[in-house]
Amino acid sequence: MHRRLIVPSALAASLLLAIPASAADYAPGAAGIGDAYYPASGNGGYDVSHYDLRLTYQPRTDLLEGTATLLATTTQRLSRFNLDLGLEVSEVRVNGRKAAFAASGDHELEVTPAAPLDQGKEVSVVVRYAGKPSELKIGGWTAWHRTPDGGVAAQEPDSAVWWFPSNDHPLDKATYDVSVSVPDGTQAISNGVLQSQPSKLGWTRYNWRSNKPQASYLATLAIGRFDITTDRTASGLPVLNAYSKDLGDNAGAARASVERTAEVAEWLEEVFGPYPFNALGGYVPNVTSGYALETQTRPFYSPRQFANGSNTSVVVHEIAHQWYGDSVSVKGWKDIWINEGFARYSQWLWSEKEGEGTARQLADYAYALRPAGDPFWTVKPGDPGPDKQFDIAVYDRGALALQALRDTIGDEDFFAVLKGWPQKFAHGNASVGDFVTYAEQVSGKPLAALFDTWLHQPAKPAALPAAPGHRADTAAPAPKSRARASAAGRPAPAALPPQPKSWKKIAATDTVHDHGNGRGHGKH
């Protein structure tokens, strides 16, 4: 009688092959992606590669009905996972099979597939849902603008939960197909390129495609009656701008501004390198808000941005975001400076180009404008906190940090950094620390102390670095009243340098991201 001997290691291997993973090996995906400012934003356990949204919207009633198909890859063994959505769900399918689902919290949709999902598995998720976005309030606010002829989704840091299920955080970017059916005579505007617009039985379906990765908050939807202009840039890029038909006195100024989008983008290509997306444009719906937003390829502008006349500076700000914020997105919302500091500095560079004040003159004025005791200097642009995420200091002090960098490393290296950064991190995510490291690599200079001073210390820096050929004593002489105050031992206000011609135009855009939504966005 012969007995077959099995060594312990071989026995263990055979058992592993024979026994499937137990239920204990699978776990729910996290209900948040791990953002320090917004713990409930996004979800864990999977990564979305594509959204296919097929929607029907009735402007008269604000009823939105949708079927969303998400293509994703699991990043762990999942027993269930969450999506972010606030509207009512009627059915969920995972890989074609019906899945159990339940709503929890303000906007969590918990999905339990019929069978657990292995790590690294490609998954399709279909969600059928409906609701009136204007009636959905989360934390007392809404990202959905009801308009006289429809509705608009455009908000930061959240807007997707009002109109489609998503992994709602910039860390999980994806491509998009957005197809929206609306009554004839009404248009649907979204991101990217309009592929087609067939009509049937009184309804028209608008089919939009964004073929580059896009953060969920940068996806936009505007439904209403618009005047639309189309064109192509010299390089063949399609340009589409849209204006509500009822903008009233703001209509002319809005058009005079947004129609310069292609011109602004061509100039920014000289500063930041090739435009990163497949379409260009902007839209101005009839909303009551006052902010603008860098929705990818097609920024959103509130009519109030043009209440005092044309405002090319706000167009510069939002188009600059296509590189800084859209193509290169934040790793976490605490990294907001890599969006806003650069968009504001782009406005300073536009002023320099237009001969209305150099960036250095604007920096000198911004630095001198607020005394050391002003709360402005207590905000740290490199990590402002959720309550100060969109504070004016993130913009102006953030731009001052870039001027300090320019003065320290010189124009050649500075503009090499501005152009190289969007290429290195194209269509991805990055942090403030990543930028500091990159600037050091390009310039060959240690810059940690400089950025710490300008981005992370809650105090007014002693002075801007001296730029080549720049005299620090260019401020106007102190008035006699200031001299008398000093002689009397009282603190004297610092003399301001001459105000650059563009200052008021740029300051008029200080409310550019004053969303007023209760999510800690600063009032400018």
Side-chain angles (χ1 to χ4, degrees):
M1 181 177 178
H2 299 280
R3 291 181 178 171
R4 187 178 177 192
L5 297 177
I6 302 178
V7 298
S9 59
L11 176 61
S14 66
L15 288 174
L16 285 173
L17 291 172
I19 301 174
S22 68
D25 293 324
Y26 297 87
I33 209 166
D35 191 89
Y37 286 5
Y38 305 111
S41 291
N43 306 287
Y46 63 94
D47 183 80
V48 182
S49 60
H50 184 70
Y51 291 91
D52 183 274
L53 309 179
R54 193 166 182 86
L55 312 174
T56 299
Y57 181 77
Q58 176 52 261
R60 183 176 55 83
T61 62
D62 194 44
L63 178 62
L64 177 71
E65 298 173 283
T67 299
T69 302
L70 287 66
L71 304 181
T73 301
T74 58
T75 58
Q76 68 176 73
R77 287 179 168 179
L78 285 174
S79 58
R80 73 166 191 264
F81 59 89
N82 284 22
L83 296 171
D84 297 305
L85 180 65
L87 301 181
E88 186 173 345
V89 173
S90 58
E91 183 180 73
V92 178
R93 288 180 178 265
V94 177
N95 294 333
R97 299 175 64 186
K98 282 190 175 182
F101 62 91
S104 66
D106 287 332
H107 56 74
E108 298 289 338
L109 177 66
E110 298 180 355
V111 178
T112 304
L117 303 173
D118 288 330
Q119 184 175 354
K121 183 177 179 61
E122 293 184 357
V123 178
S124 66
V125 182
V126 177
V127 182
R128 300 183 190 278
Y129 60 100
K132 297 183 178 182
S134 62
E135 296 180 357
L136 174 62
K137 298 291 193 297
I138 297 177
W141 66 280
T142 179
W144 184 265
H145 303 266
R146 191 78 165 100
T147 63
D149 52 12
V152 176
Q155 189 53 278
E156 184 183 17
D158 303 303
S159 68
V161 295
W162 276 264
W163 63 289
F164 68 96
S166 71
N167 194 8
D168 197 12
H169 191 276
L171 271 178
D172 193 357
K173 300 163 78 169
T175 55
Y176 283 74
D177 283 317
V178 178
S179 176
V180 190
S181 183
V182 293
D184 287 350
T186 299
Q187 293 109 329
I189 308 296
S190 191
N191 313 80
V193 175
L194 181 62
Q195 304 289 98
S196 62
Q197 53 181 83
S199 294
K200 184 178 181 180
L201 300 176
W203 291 75
T204 300
R205 181 167 288 281
Y206 291 82
N207 298 303
W208 296 89
R209 171 165 292 176
S210 295
N211 67 350
K212 299 296 183 184
Q214 176 175 286
S216 52
Y217 87 96
L218 296 172
T220 193
L221 178 64
I223 298 166
R225 297 177 181 269
F226 294 96
D227 288 329
I228 293 176
T229 65
T230 60
D231 202 353
R232 287 190 177 270
T233 64
S235 62
L237 197 69
V239 183
L240 185 147
N241 299 318
Y243 310 89
S244 280
K245 292 178 177 291
D246 52 357
L247 292 179
D249 292 344
N250 295 333
R255 287 174 183 252
S257 307
V258 178
E259 288 300 311
R260 298 186 69 180
T261 292
E263 173 194 352
V264 167
E266 288 176 2
W267 169 72
L268 283 169
E269 284 190 305
E270 298 174 12
V271 182
F272 296 151
Y275 181 74
F277 301 119
N278 67 340
L280 190 62
Y283 73 98
V284 189
N286 186 10
V287 294
T288 59
S289 61
Y291 64 91
L293 185 64
E294 63 270 19
T295 41
Q296 194 160 303
T297 71
R298 190 152 291 107
F300 158 92
Y301 302 96
S302 297
R304 274 175 30 205
Q305 286 289 325
F306 311 105
N308 295 321
S310 62
N311 188 345
T312 309
S313 191
V314 73
V315 176
V316 171
H317 186 105
E318 302 306 335
I319 298 301
H321 272 312
Q322 304 305 304
W323 287 264
Y324 282 83
D326 292 11
S327 178
V328 184
S329 302
V330 297
K331 280 185 177 176
W333 284 109
K334 70 182 182 66
D335 298 309
I336 191 65
W337 172 73
I338 67 169
N339 293 13
E340 301 303 345
F342 294 80
R344 173 50 57 95
Y345 196 76
S346 299
Q347 295 174 275
W348 291 9
L349 291 175
W350 177 264
S351 169
E352 196 168 286
K353 167 190 172 291
E354 295 289 284
E356 296 185 340
T358 66
R360 177 68 201 221
Q361 288 168 336
L362 286 158
D364 286 340
Y365 190 81
Y367 177 82
L369 185 62
R370 297 175 178 89
D374 193 298
F376 172 90
W377 298 107
T378 66
V379 178
K380 300 177 290 184
D383 187 359
D387 292 341
K388 297 291 184 180
Q389 185 182 350
F390 296 99
D391 190 272
I392 187 61
V394 175
Y395 297 72
D396 279 357
R397 186 176 173 180
L400 282 167
L402 288 171
Q403 184 62 44
L405 174 65
R406 182 179 179 180
D407 292 339
T408 300
I409 67 176
D411 276 10
E412 183 177 353
D413 282 346
F414 178 73
F415 286 103
V417 168
L418 289 192
K419 187 170 288 187
W421 169 263
Q423 305 306 311
K424 181 176 177 63
F425 292 93
H427 307 301
N429 301 79
S431 68
V432 173
D434 292 329
F435 184 85
V436 175
T437 299
Y438 182 74
E440 288 181 329
Q441 291 171 345
V442 172
S443 67
K445 294 185 176 182
L447 299 170
L450 175 80
F451 282 110
D452 182 65
T453 296
W454 287 95
L455 296 182
H456 295 289
Q457 293 302 316
K460 184 174 183 176
L464 279 162
H470 176 77
R471 292 179 58 197
D473 59 349
T474 54
K480 291 181 179 179
S481 60
R482 179 173 179 246
R484 286 196 298 269
S486 297
R490 299 191 306 272
L496 281 175
Q499 185 183 87
K501 183 179 178 181
S502 62
W503 179 262
K504 289 184 178 178
K505 293 180 182 179
I506 296 171
T509 70
D510 282 354
T511 57
V512 67
H513 286 172
D514 183 6
H515 304 278
N517 59 18
R519 286 295 300 270
H521 297 68
K523 303 292 184 185
H524 301 169

